Each structure stands twice: as structure tokens, then as C-alpha cells.
């Protein structure tokens, strides 16, 4: 039906909550307020005693990704179906060209893969895996003509995607010029490569070797370096998949120093830990392999959640990139060959509610901010998405904060045959998901066709990100000191030889 009335619920915004009805027509919110009248032909959804949330935005997925000799299990159909079942109505995936490849070609390839299949709205980041004038020009075209305002640089995956400091500096500079936000996978790729050799030489071939060769030091060093480089050119920075306490501290400190930087913990780093890499079952351990790895310190998830609750970290995502057991088995004799990636696109909202809201670390308003609104603002989807407001897209979730569900690979909608949150009981369950004004998930059943979702272009110079930067450019640009010119003597430098008396005297006097 084209017209819906969500009646009797408590509408949750990032800054306050209100008891209100929501009238939806033509795919957008038409009215918001108490005791709205339902025009003839309107379907009424009873939300009494429930919360009404803006649909979740997952700004970090890898659906249908060709990687490490195989392709991720969840394609754009299954992955977006799973997202809707979990209360997420928008994803932002990554188009990743090979080194030497065209960014524009990668963008069009991902559009060709996604457009016929997506069941929820989506957008695309584009990765910069090498540098040239062609890359610089294509970044500008993507920002100005294709609706891409975010570019990701890998500081890891040496000889595959990794870029070095001069390339990072150039990419950050171009992001600033075209009004994009720079993203980084922050790990020291050289340190990891040497660590992997060391582990294999010690006979450590199992999944524990993955964490051992990618220590927190590799993540924290790269995080600090990326922030320093981005700050040097006044480029806004978004650090994806923050996995460790030490890297999170670096981001928090930078924000307190006034840097325009955002940190993104993911469902995995907030909901579980890296002790699983030492599990005796190889398959269990391998299914947790991702990069950066989960950290074995069991206090890490709670620490990251505290920083997320208090705005030291800004958003939540999943880095959803799933591989079945037979795919993970490509690395059965060598952990460096295990395809990296875990699930989360269906589980994120419930995991964050359980570990964040139900635990008392954050309230319902902060939950909306970190699962929807902040990502919408950072990536310039707001106010079309990220808030229930008149004129906004009707992406809405009726949420039962008291209901529980037990996460399991046996019941999830994701294509992968393993779930890293297996057995976790979560408070907070999506009862109804509305995407583009259509009820697409209700009573545990999906009702959506491939292609229902649409590509959402994003304009550059997101105000939420660039307003501070543009003001600083106007008021904080260095200027030369005005002084009288120097008119004294200037010595002449002799090439290839020191002045005759440069060292005479001092040395001989000391010797005597």
C-alpha cells in the first residue's frame, strides 16, 4: 500500500523522543504528531508500547566482494535482505579497483552488480589503491558527477591495496579539494608482512597467527599516522573498523585536540573478542578472522562501547564480508590465506542495543545517533535519511526494546553458514521494517523484491563535516611575517669542499 500510518509509538530522534504518529505516503514521511487521522485506504500499523526508529544505516559493507581468490558469500540480494531483517534500511558498500585500475570502472562495475539485486537503498564509497593523475581526475569526476563523497585508502594489504605515505598525502589533499571525506583502513602493512613471516617460521599456521602478526601496535601506529597526515592538509578523516582500545584512544585524543576525525567501531568489535582465535576448532577460529583482528583482551568491547556512548567514537558499522567454511578453508595450512571477513549486517542493531542500551551505557537517543543519524550526517545523507521528519525518506523500524532474540546461523537471513554471535541473546528486536514507504519485513517474514532499493547519490562538502574546516581555512591559514628585508652580508657557499678555516683551531686546541 502506498499510504501507512504508524500509530501510538514513541518516535526516537538523536536528540529527544516523542509520543507521535507517523504518516507515510509516496515513500516519504508526510506528517508527524499526536493523534494523526488516517485517510481512507491507509494501512495502520500499531506501535503502541514500542519505539519507532529511523532505519539503520550501515556505512561499511562488502557484499559480493571478489577477495583473496574467492567472492564473499552474501551478494547484494542476500546481504540487503538480511539488513532489512535486522532493521537496517541503507548500506554503503565499497567499490575497490585493483592497483592500476580505473576508479570509474570500479564504480560502474559495482553499480552493475548491485542495482538489479538490492532490496534496500545503498550508496558507494570508492577505494584509492594507487596514485596517478588519472586517479586524481577520476576522484573529482566521482565527487562532482557520480554521487561519491568518500574515498578509502588501505594502509595494509601490502602489494594488493596498500598505499604509502606520499600517496596518502596526495589522496587526502585531493579529498579536501573536492569536498570528500577520507577513510582509512589503519594498520601498518610492512609490520604485518614481517610479522606473518615470523609466525610462519615459528610453525604457527593457524588462525591465532593472524592476530599475533597484526598486534595493536600496528593499528595504533597507522591510526596516529593517518590522523597526522590528514591534519597536515586539513582533510576530514574517518577511521573504519576501530578494533582496539589503543587505536580508539588515539582517535578520542585527536577529537579533543580539535581534529576533524571520526571513529567507526563495528558490531564485531563491540560484541565479541579475539579469544576465539585460540579456539581448538579450526573452523570456529577461522570464521573470526578479519582485519584488523578482534582483540584478545576481553575488556575491549566494553571499552569501545563506552567511548561510543560518550561521542569519542561516532558511528557503528559491520564490515560485513562473509565467507563460508569451505572458503575459509583456503587457508587451512596457512593463516595468511584465510579470506578475511565476518558477518554483522543483520545483527548490528540488536547487538548494539544489547551491549549499549540494555547494559545502561547509552540511551535510546544515542543509539539512534550511532546506528543511523551520525552516518547520515557524515556521508551527507541527512536529513533525507537518519531521522524521522516530514519530507524524509520513510525508512522506519518499529522496535520492541523488551523482546529478545537468540542469534544463530540456523535462523539468520545471511548466506554464510556461521555467525560470530552464535547463541547471543539480545534485547531489542525489529518487529517491522519499512523501506521507501513499503513494509518489507514483518512478523519475521520478508516481503521485498530485488531492485526495490535504489542507489543514493551523495553530494560533496557535507556541512556536518566541512563547516568547521571551511571556517578554519578562512581564519587559520598561516600568513607570512611582515619584516624589513635583510640587507647584510651573505656568505658564498663553495661546492664539494668545506671552507678552509671551518674546523681550524677548535680541533687543534682541544687536542693540545
Amino acid at each position: 500500500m502506498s499510504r501507512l500510518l504508524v500509530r501510538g509509538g514513541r518516535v526516537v530522534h538523536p536528540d529527544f523522543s516523542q509520543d507521535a504518529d507517523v504518516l507515510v505516503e509516496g515513500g516519504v514521511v508526510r506528517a508527524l504528531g499526536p493523534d494523526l487521522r488516517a485517510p481512507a485506504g491507509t494501512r495502520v500499523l500499531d506501535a503502541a508500547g514500542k519505539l519507532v526508529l529511523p532505519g539503520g544505516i550501515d556505512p561499511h559493507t562488502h557484499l559480493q566482494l571478489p577477495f583473496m581468490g574467492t567472492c564473499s558469500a552474501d551478494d547484494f540480494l542476500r546481504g540487503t535482505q538480511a539488513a532489512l531483517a535486522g532493521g537496517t534500511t541503507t548500506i554503503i558498500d565499497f567499490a575497490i579497483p585493483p592497483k592500476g585500475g580505473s576508479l570509474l570502472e570500479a564504480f560502474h562495475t559495482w553499480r552493475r552488480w548491485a542495482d538489479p539485486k538490492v532490496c534496500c537503498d545503498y550508496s558507494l564509497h570508492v577505494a584509492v589503491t594507487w596514485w596517478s593523475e588519472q586517479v586524481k581526475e577520476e576522484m573529482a569526476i566521482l565527487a562532482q558527477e557520480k554521487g561519491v563523497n568518500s574515498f578509502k585508502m588501505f594502509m595494509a594489504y601490502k602489494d594488493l591495496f596498500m598505499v604509502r605515505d606520499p600517496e596518502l598525502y596526495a589522496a587526502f589533499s585531493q579529498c579536501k579539494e573536492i569536498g570528500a571525506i577520507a577513510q582509512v583502513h589503519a594498520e601498518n602493512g610492512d609490520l604485518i608482512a614481517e610479522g606473518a613471516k615470523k609466525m610462519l617460521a615459528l610453525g604457527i599456521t593457524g588462525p591465532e597467527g593472524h592476530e599475533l602478526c597484526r598486534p595493536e601496535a600496528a593499528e595504533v601506529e597507522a591510526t596516529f599516522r593517518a590522523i597526522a597526515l590528514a591534519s597536515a592538509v586539513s582533510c576530514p578523516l574517518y577511521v573504519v573498523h576501530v578494533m582496539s582500545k589503543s587505536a580508539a584512544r588515539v582517535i578520542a585524543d585527536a577529537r579533543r585536540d580539535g581534529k576533524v576525525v571520526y571513529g567507526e567501531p563495528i558490531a564485531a568489535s563491540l560484541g565479541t573478542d579475539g579469544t576465539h582465535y585460540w579456539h581448538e576448532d579450526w573452523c570456529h577460529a577461522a570464521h573470526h578472522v578479519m582485519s584488523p583482528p578482534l582483540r584478545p583482551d576481553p575488556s575491549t568491547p566494553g571499552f569501545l562501547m563506552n567511548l561510543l556512548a560518550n561521542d569519542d567514537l561516532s558511528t557503528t558499522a559491520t564490515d560485513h564480508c562473509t565467507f563460508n567454511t569451505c572458503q575459509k578453508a583456503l587457508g587451512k595450512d596457512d593463516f595468511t590465506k584465510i579470506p578475511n571477513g565476518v558477518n554483522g549486517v543483520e545483527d548490528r542493531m540488536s547487538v548494539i542495543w544489547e551491549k549499549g542500551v540494555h547494559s545502561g551505557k547509552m540511551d535510546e537517543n544515542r543509539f539512534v545517533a550511532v546506528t543511523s543519524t551520525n552516518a547520515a550526517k557524515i556521508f551527507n545523507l541527512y536529513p533525507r535519511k537518519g531521522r524521522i521528519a516530514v519530507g524524509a525518506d520513510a525508512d522506519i523500524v518499529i522496535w520492541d526494546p523488551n523482546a529478545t532474540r537468540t542469534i544463530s546461523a540456523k535462523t539468520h537471513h545471511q548466506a554464510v553458514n556461521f555467525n560470530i554471535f552464535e547463541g547471543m541473546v539480545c534485547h531489542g528486536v525489529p518487529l517491522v521494517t519499512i523501506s521507501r514507504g513499503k513494509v518489507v519485513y514483518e512478523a519475521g517474514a520478508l516481503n521485498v523484491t530485488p531492485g526495490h532499493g535504489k542507489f543514493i547519490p551523495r553530494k560533496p562538502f557535507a556541512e556536518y563535516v566541512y563547516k568547521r574546516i571551511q571556517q578554519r581555512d578562512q581564519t587559520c591559514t598561516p600568513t607570512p611575517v611582515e619584516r624589513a628585508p635583510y640587507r647584510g652580508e651573505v656568505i658564498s657557499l663553495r661546492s664539494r669542499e668545506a671552507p678552509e678555516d671551518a674546523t681550524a683551531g677548535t680541533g687543534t686546541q682541544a687536542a693540545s
Side-chain angles (χ1 to χ4, degrees):
M1 299 178 69
S2 62
R3 189 185 295 123
L4 301 170
L5 180 66
V6 181
R7 173 174 285 168
R10 186 162 179 79
V11 178
V12 184
H13 305 292
D15 44 356
F16 72 101
S17 301
Q18 65 180 129
D19 295 326
D21 301 338
V22 184
L23 179 64
V24 171
E25 186 175 9
V28 300
V29 176
R30 293 297 183 191
L32 174 68
D35 303 320
L36 295 181
R37 296 181 63 182
T42 301
R43 180 184 175 189
V44 178
L45 296 168
D46 182 14
K50 307 299 187 292
L51 301 178
V52 181
L53 314 178
I57 299 172
D58 186 342
H60 187 161
T61 64
H62 295 287
L63 303 180
Q64 209 166 316
L65 175 68
F67 187 52
M68 298 183 73
T70 185
C71 185
S72 58
D74 282 294
D75 65 3
F76 280 98
L77 175 60
R78 289 292 296 274
T80 55
Q81 287 176 331
L84 292 171
T88 289
T89 55
T90 304
I91 63 165
I92 312 182
D93 209 87
F94 289 83
I96 306 179
K99 278 190 181 292
S102 165
L103 276 65
L104 281 169
E105 287 183 10
F107 171 80
H108 289 300
T109 295
W110 259 257
R111 287 291 308 271
R112 188 171 66 251
W113 290 343
D115 285 351
K117 294 182 177 181
V118 286
C119 296
C120 70
D121 286 350
Y122 82 105
S123 196
L124 288 172
H125 313 289
V126 176
V128 173
T129 56
W130 62 298
W131 190 253
S132 69
E133 282 300 311
Q134 174 190 335
V135 172
K136 182 177 180 179
E137 292 169 5
E138 290 188 343
M139 288 174 70
I141 293 170
L142 286 163
Q144 294 160 10
E145 302 176 16
K146 304 297 183 181
V148 175
N149 68 7
S150 45
F151 296 88
K152 180 182 180 182
M153 280 62 72
F154 291 87
M155 302 171 76
Y157 297 119
K158 187 176 180 180
D159 300 325
L160 181 61
F161 298 141
M162 178 175 150
V163 292
R164 298 192 175 276
D165 288 1
E167 298 164 314
L168 279 174
Y169 187 93
F172 290 168
S173 298
Q174 179 65 347
C175 283
K176 166 72 182 307
E177 181 68 22
I178 63 178
I181 185 165
Q183 301 170 286
V184 287
H185 173 135
E187 286 186 290
N188 186 311
D190 289 317
L191 186 62
I192 291 165
E194 295 305 315
K197 294 177 187 176
K198 180 180 178 180
M199 292 303 116
L200 292 172
L202 290 171
I204 298 173
T205 61
E208 70 277 11
H210 180 76
E211 201 284 331
L212 291 170
C213 77
R214 305 178 95 101
E216 281 201 28
E219 184 183 1
V220 69
E221 184 280 330
T223 302
F224 186 89
R225 179 159 43 100
I227 292 171
L229 289 169
S231 298
V233 296
S234 299
C235 174
L237 184 69
Y238 184 95
V239 183
V240 303
H241 47 42
V242 179
M243 303 300 291
S244 67
K245 294 162 67 172
S246 51
R249 287 192 191 100
V250 169
I251 294 167
D253 289 344
R255 287 174 64 81
R256 290 171 188 153
D257 286 341
K259 304 292 194 298
V260 183
V261 57
Y262 307 96
E264 171 204 89
I266 61 174
S269 64
L270 294 164
T272 188
D273 61 55
T275 56
H276 296 278
Y277 295 128
W278 281 265
H279 197 281
E280 291 183 358
D281 181 349
W282 183 92
C283 294
H284 179 100
H287 270 292
H288 288 79
V289 168
M290 62 169 298
S291 296
L294 294 158
R295 299 304 175 187
D297 178 353
S299 70
T300 299
F303 182 90
L304 295 179
M305 187 64 78
N306 285 335
L307 267 61
L308 179 68
N310 291 288
D311 204 35
D312 291 314
L313 300 173
S314 302
T315 65
T316 60
T318 60
D319 192 14
H320 184 94
C321 187
T322 56
F323 298 95
N324 284 315
T325 304
C326 59
Q327 295 173 292
K328 291 282 188 177
L330 290 168
K332 63 184 178 64
D333 300 315
D334 179 350
F335 67 84
T336 66
K337 293 180 172 59
I338 300 173
N340 290 196
V342 298
N343 62 279
V345 75
E346 182 175 355
D347 314 299
R348 178 183 65 120
M349 300 280 280
S350 289
V351 169
I352 304 307
W353 187 273
E354 174 67 24
K355 301 294 185 178
V357 183
H358 186 71
S359 71
K361 291 179 180 289
M362 68 174 68
D363 61 19
E364 62 193 29
N365 307 104
R366 182 62 184 169
F367 174 81
V368 163
V370 302
T371 58
S372 184
T373 310
N374 288 353
K377 289 181 175 180
I378 291 168
F379 296 110
N380 219 9
L381 294 166
Y382 190 86
R384 178 177 178 180
K385 296 186 183 294
R387 191 181 188 98
I388 297 175
V390 175
D393 285 356
D395 296 339
I396 298 170
V397 179
I398 300 177
W399 187 265
D400 189 338
N402 299 314
T404 61
R405 73 181 184 96
T406 302
I407 297 176
S408 175
K410 296 177 181 178
T411 55
H412 69 204
H413 295 79
Q414 297 155 140
V416 68
N417 65 346
F418 187 91
N419 194 306
I420 62 170
F421 306 111
E422 185 73 34
M424 182 184 294
V425 178
C426 290
H427 293 80
V429 175
L431 303 180
V432 177
T433 304
I434 301 167
S435 169
R436 307 179 66 85
K438 174 182 169 60
V439 175
V440 292
Y441 177 79
E442 184 177 17
L446 286 159
N447 179 27
V448 64
T449 56
H452 165 77
K454 304 300 178 188
F455 176 77
I456 307 297
R458 297 172 291 122
K459 294 181 180 179
F461 294 103
E463 186 176 278
Y464 181 76
V465 172
Y466 266 93
K467 184 176 274 189
R468 283 188 292 164
I469 288 174
Q470 290 169 334
Q471 182 64 26
R472 292 175 188 181
D473 287 346
Q474 293 177 17
T475 59
C476 302
T477 301
T479 56
V481 176
E482 294 186 8
R483 54 169 68 93
Y486 175 76
R487 302 188 185 281
E489 182 181 0
V490 180
I491 67 169
S492 61
L493 299 177
R494 299 179 184 181
S495 61
R496 298 191 179 184
E497 62 181 72
E500 292 180 1
D501 298 328
T503 58
T506 302
T508 55
Q509 289 172 7
S512 62

